Amino acid sequence: MRLKHMLVLDGERLLGVLDLDKTRRRVPHDVSEQSLLVKDIYEPLNADDLLPGDSPLVDYVLTEDTRPFRVVTLDEGKITTVDVEDLQKLPVRIVLFLRLAQLEDTLVRRLCAAEPELTRIMRNERGIDSSALGNSGIGPVREIETYGFAKPLRTAKALGIVTLAGDDISFLERFRNRLAHGPRWYITRRGEVAAFVNCVRSVLDLIREARSEPGG
């Protein structure tokens, strides 16, 4: 993984951060790189750049499109940085996939309440023969697997449980599939980061919407 940000210190005092990508763009063509000093090009920090180490990971993710890096303060005065590159790490994928699973479970419960014929699928899903990891199965288990992620979204949309456009459903399904398959999960470009943050925000909004009582 490529190092993009370096902390600038004066003894033990944190002065700012050196963004290596921005530094390369700031070097004038007529100036030798050897003549540049870190103190001339580093970026001073403000309060919004600091992030306590015990902050919720999802809250940090939702700021990635506007603040690509943060300085994380840890116990015993230790500090480090997190940036866009860290979105590729397994803990991020796990947290976000759990949110998607939470959305799916919330939708299925609401659908079972609205459409009693779906209760059988829900009961089988939670039964001893359920296939939480997507293993092959027959009968009810296979029926749950083919139910997929997009179908509850489309059904919930049709019943007015959630508000979604068709393109949004396809986008969320692609996001989920990329998240589930590590080799395809890589986000670096600005447009990808913005789309990623919007997707996470949409998932959280859908969870809240699906949890709300009708007419509430």
Side-chain angles (χ1 to χ4, degrees):
M1 188 168 290
R2 182 164 65 95
L3 184 65
K4 295 185 64 175
H5 297 94
M6 299 181 67
L7 296 176
V8 179
L9 304 173
D10 179 8
E12 296 184 355
R13 186 166 64 95
L14 176 62
L15 298 180
V17 68
L18 189 65
D19 185 318
L20 300 185
D21 286 342
K22 290 182 179 180
T23 298
R24 294 187 187 96
R25 293 194 294 268
R26 289 176 180 174
V27 177
H29 295 294
D30 57 347
V31 175
S32 170
E33 293 185 16
Q34 284 76 13
S35 65
L36 289 173
L37 300 178
V38 170
K39 67 179 182 179
D40 297 325
I41 55 178
Y42 81 89
E43 297 182 32
L45 296 176
N46 56 54
D48 292 336
D49 294 321
L50 301 177
L51 185 70
D54 57 359
S55 302
L57 181 57
V58 171
D59 290 352
Y60 161 69
V61 167
L62 292 175
T63 67
E64 272 296 300
D65 55 340
T66 57
R67 310 195 70 81
F69 81 92
R70 292 289 188 90
V71 175
V72 180
T73 56
L74 305 173
D75 295 335
E76 300 177 356
K78 297 179 180 179
I79 54 176
T80 187
T81 62
V82 292
D83 60 24
V84 172
E85 295 286 328
D86 292 302
L87 295 178
Q88 328 307 328
K89 294 183 178 179
L90 183 60
V92 177
R93 290 173 53 207
I94 291 175
V95 167
L96 298 182
F97 201 85
L98 287 174
R99 292 291 186 174
L100 286 161
Q102 182 183 11
L103 171 60
E104 191 170 5
D105 183 70
T106 303
L107 286 176
V108 170
R109 290 175 183 276
R110 284 292 304 275
L111 291 174
C112 287
E115 298 288 340
E117 64 270 19
L118 294 176
T119 302
R120 180 176 59 85
I121 296 179
M122 184 62 183
R123 285 175 177 169
N124 288 325
E125 181 183 28
R126 297 178 62 84
I128 192 170
D129 295 327
S130 66
S131 180
L133 297 180
N135 299 324
S136 60
I138 58 176
V141 173
R142 171 59 65 189
E143 184 176 0
I144 296 159
E145 292 173 357
T146 58
Y147 197 64
F149 174 73
K151 190 169 182 179
L153 287 174
R154 294 191 180 97
T155 307
K157 172 190 173 184
L159 294 175
I161 295 174
V162 295
T163 305
L164 271 171
D167 290 344
D168 291 336
I169 294 176
S170 298
F171 178 63
L172 288 171
E173 187 173 34
R174 289 195 302 271
F175 170 76
R176 179 184 183 275
N177 292 338
R178 285 186 62 194
L179 193 62
H181 298 88
R184 298 170 57 191
W185 178 253
Y186 196 74
I187 300 173
T188 53
R189 292 192 292 269
R190 185 183 300 273
E192 290 178 333
V193 174
F196 161 74
V197 172
N198 287 336
C199 192
V200 175
R201 190 173 289 117
S202 295
V203 170
L204 298 178
D205 289 343
L206 285 169
I207 292 173
R208 284 190 289 268
E209 190 174 4
R211 282 177 166 178
S212 64
E213 294 298 326

